[in-house]
Amino acid sequence: MPPTLFYGTAIFGTPTIPSLTEAENVSKFLDEVHSLGITELDTAARYPPDNVGGSERLLGATKAGSSFTINTKVLIAGATGDGTLTKDAIRASVANSLKTLGVSKIGILYAHAPDNTTPLEEQAEAFNEQCEKGYCERIGVSNFPPAMLEKFLSICEEHNYIKPSIYQGEYNLARRDYEDTLFPLLRKHKIHFAAFSPLGGGFLTGKFTAGNAEGTRFGGPLGQRHRKVYDRPDFHNTINELKRIIEPLGISPTGAALRWLAYHSELNEEDGIILGASKIEQLEQNVKDIEQGPLPENVVEAIKAIKGAAAA
Ligand SMILES: NC(=O)c1ccc[n+]([C@@H]2O[C@H](COP(=O)([O-])OP(=O)(O)OC[C@H]3O[C@@H](n4cnc5c(N)ncnc54)[C@H](OP(=O)(O)O)[C@@H]3O)[C@@H](O)[C@H]2O)c1
């Protein structure tokens, strides 16, 4: 079985994707998402970064919580997470998310990013409080360095707090650093993993390498962070090398990236993949690709070699 598929709503409400700024369109879009068998949505108090809170507002306006489990993240208002995980900030963010989403309970409540200025003891206590009050089903952390997660877990154990049971991080065939640094810790503590940017924000579709970034999210203002990460000669080489192997087999770069993540990566069926398609046809294709099952052995071997080359 492949990992659970989540749909990520970080682009709901961004002026750069006008088709997903109005409740009526978003409602139709979400009906299609649901009909593809996806029942959990990923959002954040910060999404989209160019219209903070717009994603949660659209999910509330469309009553998405009546048919989906909604997972959200504590607000990061500035450039970093510093000062965002104090007890008061967590309380205020959760209260606002519940009200905006129009739900009595969040599925997974995540720390969106590390807060290096608030003691971890205070953060762990505050997340425990929100869960004990019944405001969330589970606790998760996102983007925490492994050593920080380890310390957070030991604080939870010491005080008998509810521990994070899921980690959200960037993981795809080009970004595999977590395989050595994080996964052993997650497996030891039975923490699941939700992979965001399974296509590197669009990079792994191959469009950018082929020079057609025009009109794509990756090529525009929203793609700035992803361009910083992926627009490197070795990653373009990865795409070209992959295409050389998969094109004769009739497999697209998008299909290879998603099938690798679903069947050949460190993920298992208890983990998740957060898809971020901006059009319903893309999402349909993503789901169809994953339904194709594992990749041919020579493609898997080629992807393994790509990791070795990138690390060398
Ligand atoms: N915790 C965090 O810090 C964090 C950070 C980032 C994301 N996330 C979560 O993860 C979710 C997904 O991330 P992501 O949006 O980066 O995911 P992604 O799946 O890597 O990228 C989605 C983009 O890929 C392109 N695409 C997808 N399917 C395609 C297809 N079949 N054909 C052509 N292009 C296709 C689209 O680009 P175009 O729109 O250009 O066509 C789409 O916008 C977010 O919504 C958010 O919930 C979390």
Side-chain angles (χ1 to χ4, degrees), residues 7-11 17 41-44 47 73 110-113 142-143 168-170 172 195-205 207 213 215-219 225-226 230 254 258 274-279 281-286 289:
Y7 178 69
T9 66
I11 52 174
I17 304 190
L41 302 176
D42 183 74
T43 187
Y47 292 160
K73 312 184 190 82
Y110 286 101
H112 199 152
S142 181
N143 303 308
Q168 187 176 134
E170 185 159 2
N172 57 49
F196 72 73
S197 296
L199 296 170
F203 180 80
L204 294 173
T205 63
K207 291 183 279 198
T216 65
R217 208 182 97 195
F218 194 89
R225 190 185 76 80
H226 283 112
Y230 295 96
T254 309
L258 293 175
I274 310 176
L275 298 166
S278 63
K279 298 175 192 73
E281 306 78 60
Q282 292 178 343
L283 192 65
E284 281 166 358
Q285 187 59 52
N286 294 168
D289 280 332

Side-chain angles (χ1 to χ4, degrees), residues 61-76:
T62 54
K63 300 193 174 16
S66 57
S67 36
F68 291 92
T69 297
I70 303 181
N71 305 321
T72 194
K73 312 184 190 82
V74 173
L75 179 67
I76 305 178

Side-chain angles (χ1 to χ4, degrees), residues 78-120:
T80 72
D82 292 352
T84 60
L85 298 177
T86 63
K87 199 179 233 189
D88 285 347
I90 292 175
R91 283 177 178 158
S93 181
V94 172
N96 191 57
S97 288
L98 290 171
K99 190 165 164 230
T100 308
L101 292 166
V103 297
S104 55
K105 197 173 204 168
I106 291 157
I108 305 162
L109 174 66
Y110 286 101
H112 199 152
D115 170 353
N116 293 303
T117 56
T118 304
L120 277 181

Side-chain angles (χ1 to χ4, degrees), residues 173 176 238 241-242 245 301-311:
L173 65 78
R176 284 148 70 182
T238 296
E241 177 61 10
L242 188 63
I245 295 157
E301 285 305 315
I303 292 173
K304 261 192 211 151
I306 286 166
K307 181 186 181 186

Side-chain angles (χ1 to χ4, degrees), residues 224-235:
Q224 203 181 355
R225 190 185 76 80
H226 283 112
R227 280 200 302 279
K228 248 192 223 159
V229 175
Y230 295 96
D231 189 9
R232 310 178 351 187
D234 56 338
F235 286 166

Side-chain angles (χ1 to χ4, degrees), residues 261-293:
L261 197 57
Y263 302 103
H264 306 284
S265 71
E266 289 293 321
L267 303 186
N268 62 46
E269 63 185 64
E270 292 183 312
D271 296 315
I273 297 177
I274 310 176
L275 298 166
S278 63
K279 298 175 192 73
I280 206 65
E281 306 78 60
Q282 292 178 343
L283 192 65
E284 281 166 358
Q285 187 59 52
N286 294 168
V287 171
K288 244 191 230 160
D289 280 332
I290 292 169
E291 282 171 357
Q292 297 282 307

